[in-house]
Each structure stands twice: as C-alpha cells, then as structure tokens.
Amino acid sequence: MKLVDMVESQIIASVKNEEDLQAALTSNANIVFLLTGNLMTITDYIHQLRAADKHVFLHLDFIDGLSNSKNALNYVAEFWNPTGIITTKSHIVKMAKEVGLNTIQRIFLLDWAAINKGIEMVKSCKPDAVEIMPGIIPKVIDQLSRELDYPIIAGGLINDISEVHAALEAGALAVSSGKPHMWNFDL
C-alpha cells in the first residue's frame, strides 16, 4: 500500500520514548514513527501498535542493537514486519526496498547545500516518501514538493496547529510530531 493511501490523519505520531507509546496507541494518528526501542522491546511495541490499527514505521537509526546490514533488514522485514522504515541513509533505503519494506528518507535542511544534496539523495534511492526536518519552512516544503515526485512529510520544531496548517498548505502530505498533545488534532 502506498503511503499516500495510508494517511487518514495528517498528524503522524513520532514516538521518541516508551512513555509516549500509550498516548500513540489511543491517538487519532493512524501512522506511528517509532524512534525508540531495542532488540528486546520492539516486537512488543509493534504488536501493540498493530493491535490499535496503526501503520508502524521504524526509524532504524534509533533502534538500539540493530545494525545497518542487509541481514538486519531481512530480519526486520521477516520477523518484525513493520509497515516500513525511516532512515537518513540512502543505501539503507535501497536495501529496505529490496526486502519489500516501505521507505521514508529523512533529510535535514540546514542550508541550500543540504537541500540540494537531499534532492540528489532522494532521486538516487527513490523512497516512498521524504521526511524533511525542520518542518517549519513552508517555502522549502513548497519547493521540494514541486521538485520531488514523492510525498513530503514535515517534521521537527512544529509546536502548534498553525504551523501544521502552514506545512500542509505548502504541500506536505502530513506532519510528524513528537508532541503527544498534537496527535489528536482532527486533520
């Protein structure tokens, strides 16, 4: 299933610690970015989120004990079977696609050089979506949504509903947030 077809709520719960998992389970967000866990806990987290009808994307760069190898991705796909993965590494995106996982390439927009490098990386690895950080730059969201033929997810430094609306109006498909109070916005 394509990411654009998964989005019911345009707020994505970005779970950064175990304490926020419960809030994500009961939130309006139907997509969860899991940025916490380790080899011992991740199976349980995924099962809980799936039982709550959530699409689960694992941020591989944050799962403690997991390597960035082809074998690790095979294990993730076969035994954990998340909806997909998130990573800043384009070679991981390519490997994850090979094992049948949906992919989100996260890029950090520090300056124009980083924006241009991000565009180049996305075009080379062809993820299913792109998460840009910080997500409070509507001008850049607009530019990227015109230059890239991939759904844009805005994340980072977004604190209120007006910033969510600005990102969506600029062309973002959705907004990821690590703030549990935002996960129940009705969007």
Side-chain angles (χ1 to χ4, degrees):
M1 176 186 287
K2 290 186 173 195
L3 185 75
V4 295
D5 298 327
M6 291 177 210
V7 174
E8 293 171 15
S9 169
Q10 289 183 291
I11 294 289
I12 296 170
S14 185
V15 177
K16 298 177 185 176
N17 56 60
E18 184 179 3
E19 294 78 33
D20 289 339
L21 185 62
Q22 192 61 42
L25 290 167
T26 59
S27 74
N28 289 344
N30 72 305
I31 297 175
V32 175
F33 289 176
L34 198 51
L35 283 66
T36 189
N38 59 52
L39 299 178
M40 301 300 290
T41 60
I42 211 74
T43 301
D44 181 50
Y45 294 172
I46 292 171
H47 285 282
Q48 287 183 57
L49 290 163
R50 283 237 170 97
D53 292 322
K54 309 293 183 185
H55 294 285
V56 182
F57 285 81
L58 294 180
H59 196 313
L60 294 183
D61 304 347
F62 293 125
I63 305 303
D64 188 34
L66 190 64
S67 73
N68 289 326
S69 70
K70 179 84 169 191
N71 285 334
L73 282 168
N74 283 328
Y75 183 89
V76 167
E78 185 174 340
F79 294 102
W80 292 344
N81 194 25
T83 307
I85 61 99
I86 307 164
T87 184
T88 58
K89 300 168 178 77
S90 56
H91 71 284
I92 299 296
V93 169
K94 290 176 184 177
M95 287 192 297
K97 289 178 79 64
E98 290 173 10
V99 299
L101 292 168
N102 287 296
T103 57
I104 298 174
Q105 171 82 47
R106 180 183 265 191
I107 59 175
F108 291 94
L109 308 177
L110 306 173
D111 56 22
W112 286 111
I115 291 169
N116 291 330
K117 180 66 174 172
I119 290 169
E120 182 182 306
M121 283 181 5
V122 168
K123 288 182 177 180
S124 76
C125 69
K126 298 175 176 48
D128 296 296
V130 180
E131 182 182 29
I132 61 167
M133 300 192 82
I136 57 170
I137 311 172
K139 173 181 165 183
V140 177
I141 294 169
D142 179 62
Q143 178 187 347
L144 290 175
S145 66
R146 292 174 196 270
E147 282 197 47
L148 296 173
D149 193 26
Y150 301 93
I152 303 292
I153 299 165
L157 300 178
I158 296 176
N159 289 313
D160 62 51
I161 193 71
S162 66
E163 293 167 337
V164 171
H165 286 294
L168 296 175
E169 289 169 11
L173 170 67
V175 173
S176 65
S177 173
K179 308 264 186 212
H181 75 275
M182 294 179 63
W183 299 345
N184 286 314
F185 287 159
D186 192 21
L187 297 171

